[in-house]
Amino acid sequence: MDLVHHTTSDGAAEDRIFDLPDDIIYRILSFLDMKYAVQTSLLSRRWKHAWKSMPNVILSNHNYNSRKMFANFVHEALSRRDNQTEVSALDLNISGDTEQSFVKPIVKYAYLHNVTKLTMIWCSDYYSELPRVLFSSPTLKHLTLGNRSQRRVKFWKHQTLLSKSSWYFPDSWELPALETLNLSNLCFDFLGNKNVNMFSKCKNLKDLVLHRLEYRPLETFNVCAPQLINLTITDFNSFPKVFNVVAPQLKNMTASVTSYFSLGRPTVLPLFTEGFNYLEKVSLSFGSGDKEKTHGSQILDLFPIFCNAKLLILDVNIIERLSMCMDRIIHERGPFINLKCLKINTMPHEQYEPIATILVQVNNYLLHNSLSATTSIGDFPQVPQKRSRQQLLTELLIRLLEICNHRLCF
């Protein structure tokens, strides 16, 4: 099938690309880096200025020979973009740190054009600072920040940690419209402040993901979010002394209950809360770096916080640690009062035989106050992301790129 031209019954050639409605054109452009979106201006007169009004902006410096070339392109492209068109989403993916000269102007431009979704991913093995402008916007609803560097570097004298970017973060973020926040592979430095409540002004925050984070030095980290529904805390390198969560509407929580390193030894999540009365699903696992067969008693001390959960998912490593506290398991009553289903995830475990004998007693403890609850054991992998529903658009996008590259050669 020719996605560019076809012949009608009277033999006349019709330009499929020229006749596409505006919403389809912008949908196609939303998949393209701005470098290639600009090149679509060569397709036809209809497409000549379309890129200037596309609401989604994707920028990456990976296809440029130098940072200066990328900075020059960004300056030219943004200055020629229709200044009346708002930026719905900005996706900035860069190599190097966040202190490069082009980062701040890009973010500032998006904020001046009422951006609602911003994703910034970088790759740096060195500490750097985020532009302060990131933390103040009346329109931003969705924010993702992450360092994709995976190089291991020496940290302190006796530890090996994943490389991180370390910045000063403001104590309070001026993001009143923020609904979803995803922070990954970051190191926070609050310049001596021991008690931090970054999200106190994010009154609409509903989904919070904190992955592979590190705090130094910090005693109390507060998550005070009255509308928070989903909270994920996974694979921390180190925990603060107190992880305080005030989220009365919380329904779903996923957590790695141990840190990767903390002064040479993993520690258990020091979670404090006023109560999760509407909790529905809790999924707990061990941190990826924790190989020790300890912390069973501390995990038992965590369970009362989740007493209202209806669905409890535990990985088999937690069951194994709980077996080290059989005296408590036998003589104490489990705190779960609304449990409907208990799931044991065996996926990370290699040997299952010892678990069968342990599970009976642990199961009796967990379900003591929920006698009608069911128990299931097995592999519960994450649901894979669905493929694009618009395969035709993908084919057309590829074809457009081929045309762009062909025309640029002449």
Side-chain angles (χ1 to χ4, degrees):
M1 174 180 175
D2 189 344
L3 296 173
V4 181
H5 299 89
H6 81 281
T7 303
T8 60
S9 57
D10 60 0
E14 183 179 5
D15 191 334
R16 287 178 180 269
I17 294 177
F18 185 83
D19 289 336
L20 287 173
D22 288 344
D23 59 336
I24 298 298
I25 290 177
Y26 289 131
R27 175 64 174 165
I28 294 169
L29 291 175
S30 70
F31 289 102
L32 297 178
D33 186 292
M34 181 167 273
K35 175 179 180 178
Y36 302 112
V38 171
Q39 293 177 5
T40 62
S41 62
L42 299 174
L43 292 173
S44 69
R45 287 172 298 174
R46 177 92 183 285
W47 286 70
K48 186 173 183 179
H49 300 290
W51 69 271
K52 297 180 181 180
S53 301
M54 63 180 190
N56 295 345
V57 175
I58 302 175
L59 291 167
S60 172
N61 67 350
H62 298 294
N63 296 318
Y64 293 82
N65 293 330
S66 68
R67 296 179 181 179
K68 184 177 181 180
M69 288 180 62
F70 176 69
N72 290 340
F73 168 78
V74 168
H75 175 75
E76 289 295 323
L78 295 183
S79 63
R80 296 185 184 186
R81 187 177 177 274
D82 180 6
N83 204 43
Q84 301 303 313
T85 301
E86 294 187 345
V87 177
S88 297
L90 169 64
D91 189 334
L92 179 59
N93 194 317
I94 60 175
S95 58
D97 60 51
T98 56
E99 294 183 2
Q100 298 175 82
S101 61
F102 52 77
V103 174
K104 183 177 179 179
I106 293 173
V107 174
K108 190 173 182 179
Y109 178 90
Y111 277 17
L112 288 173
H113 290 78
N114 299 322
V115 66
T116 58
K117 181 179 181 180
L118 190 151
T119 300
M120 189 165 79
I121 306 296
W122 60 96
C123 184
S124 175
D125 296 325
Y126 302 98
Y127 302 145
S128 58
E129 187 171 351
L130 287 168
R132 303 286 180 94
V133 68
L134 264 175
F135 307 108
S136 179
S137 168
T139 62
L140 191 66
K141 293 184 177 181
H142 311 284
L143 176 62
T144 297
L145 301 174
N147 181 6
R148 66 176 182 275
S149 173
Q150 295 296 305
R151 186 177 72 87
R152 292 183 179 271
V153 295
K154 291 293 182 182
F155 193 73
W156 298 332
K157 292 183 178 180
H158 57 287
Q159 297 179 12
T160 302
L161 295 182
L162 290 175
S163 169
K164 292 206 169 11
S165 295
S166 176
W167 313 281
Y168 163 72
F169 279 82
D171 295 344
S172 182
W173 295 11
E174 302 284 346
L175 301 172
L178 194 67
E179 296 180 4
T180 65
L181 176 62
N182 190 319
L183 303 177
S184 178
N185 207 21
L186 308 179
C187 180
F188 294 82
D189 191 342
F190 297 100
L191 299 182
N193 193 339
K194 301 294 186 180
N195 192 322
V196 172
N197 189 3
M198 294 193 305
F199 313 124
S200 61
K201 296 183 180 180
C202 303
K203 300 299 185 181
N204 290 298
L205 188 62
K206 296 178 176 62
D207 295 273
L208 177 60
V209 176
L210 306 174
H211 177 66
R212 288 188 179 180
L213 302 188
E214 182 179 347
Y215 302 93
R216 54 170 137 123
L218 187 64
E219 292 187 0
T220 303
F221 183 81
N222 297 285
V223 176
C224 298
Q227 302 299 320
L228 192 66
I229 296 174
N230 304 305
L231 175 61
T232 299
I233 305 169
T234 51
D235 285 353
F236 271 45
N237 270 358
S238 65
F239 291 126
K241 291 183 179 179
V242 175
F243 201 109
N244 183 45
V245 178
V246 180
Q249 302 299 319
L250 191 71
K251 291 185 178 180
N252 304 301
M253 182 166 182
T254 299
S256 301
V257 296
T258 55
S259 63
Y260 191 83
F261 280 112
S262 181
L263 297 177
R265 294 175 62 91
T267 57
V268 172
L269 175 65
L271 185 62
F272 289 81
T273 179
E274 295 178 356
F276 300 138
N277 295 328
Y278 298 97
L279 205 57
E280 294 184 0
K281 176 184 174 182
V282 174
S283 180
L284 303 178
S285 61
F286 259 66
S288 60
D290 188 357
K291 304 301 183 182
E292 299 187 17
K293 306 294 184 180
T294 57
H295 304 308
S297 183
Q298 293 167 287
I299 294 171
L300 289 174
D301 292 337
L302 269 181
F303 282 163
I305 294 175
F306 310 118
C307 64
N308 291 304
K310 297 178 181 178
L311 169 61
L312 178 63
I313 302 175
L314 303 176
D315 78 17
V316 74
N317 293 312
I318 288 183
I319 301 298
E320 197 171 30
R321 267 65 168 196
L322 293 179
S323 69
M324 306 296 179
C325 305
M326 203 54 71
D327 286 343
R328 290 187 61 180
I329 293 292
I330 294 173
H331 295 99
E332 295 181 10
R333 298 180 177 183
F336 300 99
I337 57 177
N338 295 318
L339 204 59
K340 303 297 183 184
C341 182
L342 169 65
K343 292 186 177 181
I344 309 300
N345 188 359
T346 60
M347 189 167 58
H349 206 270
E350 296 179 356
Q351 297 179 352
Y352 305 102
E353 293 182 3
I355 299 303
T357 55
I358 296 169
L359 186 59
V360 174
Q361 293 169 313
V362 174
N363 186 75
N364 292 339
Y365 165 80
L366 294 172
L367 272 56
H368 185 274
N369 293 314
S370 304
L371 298 179
S372 62
T374 60
T375 302
S376 59
I377 306 172
D379 294 348
F380 304 108
Q382 294 183 347
V383 178
Q385 295 183 348
K386 294 182 179 180
R387 297 182 63 187
S388 172
R389 293 173 294 178
Q390 301 190 26
Q391 294 184 359
L392 179 61
L393 284 179
T394 303
E395 291 181 37
L396 183 56
L397 184 154
I398 295 172
R399 180 61 175 143
L400 289 175
L401 289 176
E402 291 175 351
I403 293 171
C404 289
N405 291 332
H406 176 73
R407 294 191 178 184
L408 285 174
C409 292
F410 291 94

